Amino acid sequence: MVTIEELAADSAIDTVMVAFTDHYGRLVGKRFDAGFFVETVREGTHACDYLLTVDMEMEPIPGFEFASWDEGYGDVHLVPDLTTLRRAGWTDGAAIVLCDVVDQTTHDLVPMAPRTVLRRQVERLAEHGLVAKAASELEFYLYDDTYRQAHDKGYTDLQSAGWYVDDYHLLQASRVEPYVGAARRALSASDIPVENSKGECGRGQHELNIRFADALTMADRHSVMKHGMKELADAMGLSVSFMAKPTTADTGSSSHLHLSLWAEDVNVCGADDERSAVFEQFLAGWMTYVDDVMVCYAPTVNSYKRYVDGSWAPTRVAWSSDNRTASFRVVGTGQSRRVECRLPGADCNPYLAYAGAIAAGIAGIEQRLTLSDEFRGDVYAAADLPRVPRTLEHATGSFDASAMARAAFGDDVVDHYAHFHRAEVEAYHAAVSDWERRRYFERI
């Protein structure tokens, strides 16, 4: 990390990106002159509150209580969290800092801001004497087309960076090392500690893993990582996609969440390989409330195209030890024992994904839920197990109706995000797709 004093003394840094995520997880904000930022950092800056009400096209969605045309779309205050200040290793002369979004009048955290949503759940978990440590396993597709070329081609017939399944292939991985290796080095230079990269199950699909941290720090790293990788690809004349399911033919991209619970320096998930009661209750809640917080793991219409039997994405709710057909996979031994939740796609907003997981787990602890028996075998073949929601519409209805979600997040947050997701569903239903044209244009 970079301190303000180091930033002031570093003449190589002339720009500071001041950022926060919108609902989709995109970083939005401003670029500051580094000298001006150092002088005014404690005052923060302002941004239009419409940023927490827009769709993917930056069009304001009507009907929010938080901000509207009737209210004139005023400002929120952005308060830099200086513990997140770091060099932007993917570009020259820049640093980046993440912000909390604060009400200009009350000076309270804006409850709908994704970072606030996660902060609140981390605080609730601390009331139980627990800390969540986490890591995201982020998959992506790499293309030889630039983003502009991909846009101009309508995102069809793109040139994949690989032409056969890349999974663990060192030869195929070597062909994309000019980009993926550059991404590893850029992230390391951004104080985001890298573990490894590897080929994945799709053509041109890869995975880059970074070190675990507490949940809020991990969500910060995840957000910066995703943005930095896009900027790097853009600068290299390539494109990288974190869509959950970019093509029908290839496997989807996940963001598996690894989560462990700690009481001081003890991993309560079972450091001695014996599951603790609190771990079992947390996992029981996490599984019980999958439908209630599914929008946190799968926030787009496209997200649900990933859940296909036999595709490495989970389709039913069960837990199992080291079993990749299960939605909840218990892995590791000793202090590294943790749960890998395989539900989230690469398109998730990490703040909301971790918040959903923690909220569901807390409900399990508070309700003293009993963990189901471990499933052994092929979860895909177990038709009697609960199925993962099939559509964003279904998941949004479950979220909106969830007493657990309303107790955990508050009615204002649930109402806000339910409205946001319904607008996304409505936009999808109103759009005419290439699939429809191919299917119906001539033959209907």
Side-chain angles (χ1 to χ4, degrees):
M1 295 299 178
V2 178
T3 65
I4 283 293
E5 292 73 23
E6 289 170 332
L7 182 65
D10 192 343
S11 60
I13 296 179
D14 55 39
T15 302
V16 179
M17 291 178 273
V18 176
F20 68 100
T21 70
D22 67 2
H23 298 333
Y24 294 104
R26 297 179 292 186
L27 287 187
V28 293
K30 303 178 181 180
R31 282 180 165 82
F32 275 76
D33 173 83
F36 184 80
F37 176 81
V38 169
E39 292 173 12
T40 64
V41 61
R42 286 170 181 81
E43 299 175 16
T45 189
H46 60 275
C48 182
D49 59 14
Y50 101 127
L51 290 169
L52 293 176
T53 70
V54 295
D55 66 11
M56 190 63 79
E57 305 300 335
M58 303 303 290
E59 289 291 336
I61 300 169
F64 282 106
E65 290 290 329
F66 171 69
S68 65
W69 288 116
D70 289 340
E71 299 294 328
Y73 287 118
D75 282 341
V76 289
H77 193 58
L78 307 184
V79 179
D81 181 343
L82 296 183
T83 66
T84 70
L85 181 62
R86 67 189 81 216
R87 292 176 179 84
W90 57 87
T91 189
D92 294 330
I96 186 169
V97 66
L98 298 173
C99 297
D100 288 308
V101 183
V102 175
D103 186 282
Q104 291 234 108
T105 303
T106 66
H107 308 294
D108 294 330
L109 291 170
V110 171
M112 299 82 174
R115 199 166 192 258
T116 305
V117 175
L118 178 54
R119 271 193 184 280
R120 297 299 190 223
Q121 300 314 305
V122 168
E123 291 166 359
R124 291 182 65 226
L125 190 62
E127 293 172 2
H128 292 273
L130 297 170
V131 171
K133 295 188 179 181
S136 306
E137 243 183 291
L138 195 55
E139 297 173 354
F140 58 92
Y141 276 89
L142 181 65
Y143 299 96
D144 292 334
D145 306 81
T146 67
Y147 281 118
R148 182 57 185 267
Q149 288 167 344
H151 171 272
D152 291 347
K153 293 166 71 172
Y155 303 100
T156 60
D157 301 320
L158 302 185
Q159 184 69 44
S160 170
W163 54 96
Y164 55 80
V165 172
D166 291 11
D167 204 17
Y168 290 96
H169 272 246
L170 289 179
L171 176 60
Q172 277 289 73
S174 71
R175 292 168 175 148
V176 299
E177 186 65 4
Y179 171 76
V180 178
R184 291 197 310 271
R185 292 185 287 276
L187 293 171
S188 294
S190 307
D191 291 311
I192 298 177
V194 172
E195 289 189 349
N196 59 66
S197 60
K198 62 175 282 291
E200 266 296 337
C201 296
R203 294 165 296 174
Q205 187 186 36
H206 293 263
E207 174 182 285
L208 204 158
N209 297 314
I210 55 181
R211 289 290 301 275
F212 75 94
D214 67 89
L216 184 62
T217 299
M218 188 63 217
D220 290 339
R221 289 177 178 176
H222 182 139
S223 298
V224 174
M225 171 184 176
K226 215 168 155 181
H227 179 86
M229 288 178 66
K230 288 182 179 180
E231 277 203 23
L232 180 65
D234 208 29
M236 296 178 69
L238 305 167
S239 56
V240 60
S241 178
F242 295 95
M243 276 184 70
K245 184 76 168 170
T247 68
T248 303
D250 285 308
T251 187
S253 289
S254 71
S255 177
H256 300 153
L257 303 186
H258 290 248
L259 205 66
S260 57
L261 297 178
W262 294 71
E264 297 182 348
D265 295 326
V266 177
N267 180 353
V268 301
C269 293
D272 298 323
D273 295 335
E274 292 293 331
R275 299 193 303 271
S276 67
V278 70
F279 166 73
E280 291 198 353
Q281 291 166 358
F282 187 93
L283 180 53
W286 201 355
M287 293 173 58
T288 297
Y289 293 109
V290 164
D291 280 26
D292 301 59
V293 295
M294 191 67 186
V295 293
C296 298
Y297 311 139
T300 72
V301 171
N302 178 257
S303 303
Y304 297 83
K305 308 292 176 71
R306 177 175 152 259
Y307 302 115
V308 177
D309 286 341
S311 69
W312 302 104
T315 57
R316 290 169 176 80
V317 180
W319 77 273
S320 188
S321 298
D322 197 16
N323 181 344
R324 285 183 169 87
T325 70
S327 44
F328 294 87
R329 176 178 172 241
V330 178
V331 293
T333 58
Q335 292 290 78
S336 70
R337 192 175 181 85
R338 61 199 185 276
V339 178
E340 176 192 69
C341 177
R342 298 174 65 82
L343 290 167
D347 56 349
C348 73
N349 181 325
Y351 296 106
L352 301 178
Y354 284 118
I358 293 171
I362 290 173
I365 294 172
E366 293 179 344
Q367 297 169 22
R368 300 184 180 277
L369 297 182
T370 300
L371 183 63
S372 61
D373 292 336
E374 177 180 4
F375 186 92
R376 298 181 183 275
D378 182 1
V379 176
Y380 292 126
D384 56 327
L385 289 174
R387 201 191 186 285
V388 170
R390 293 179 182 273
T391 66
L392 180 58
E393 194 166 13
H394 172 180
T396 301
S398 296
F399 178 68
D400 193 19
S402 170
M404 185 282 293
R406 290 185 176 275
F409 301 125
D411 288 335
D412 52 352
V413 172
V414 172
D415 290 343
H416 185 92
Y417 279 94
H419 182 67
F420 171 74
H421 289 302
R422 285 201 176 98
E424 190 83 355
V425 170
E426 289 168 9
Y428 171 72
H429 285 319
V432 177
S433 68
D434 290 344
W435 182 89
E436 292 169 279
R437 279 187 287 271
R438 285 194 299 268
R439 195 172 184 88
Y440 303 127
F441 184 88
E442 175 185 348
R443 291 172 289 175
I444 193 67

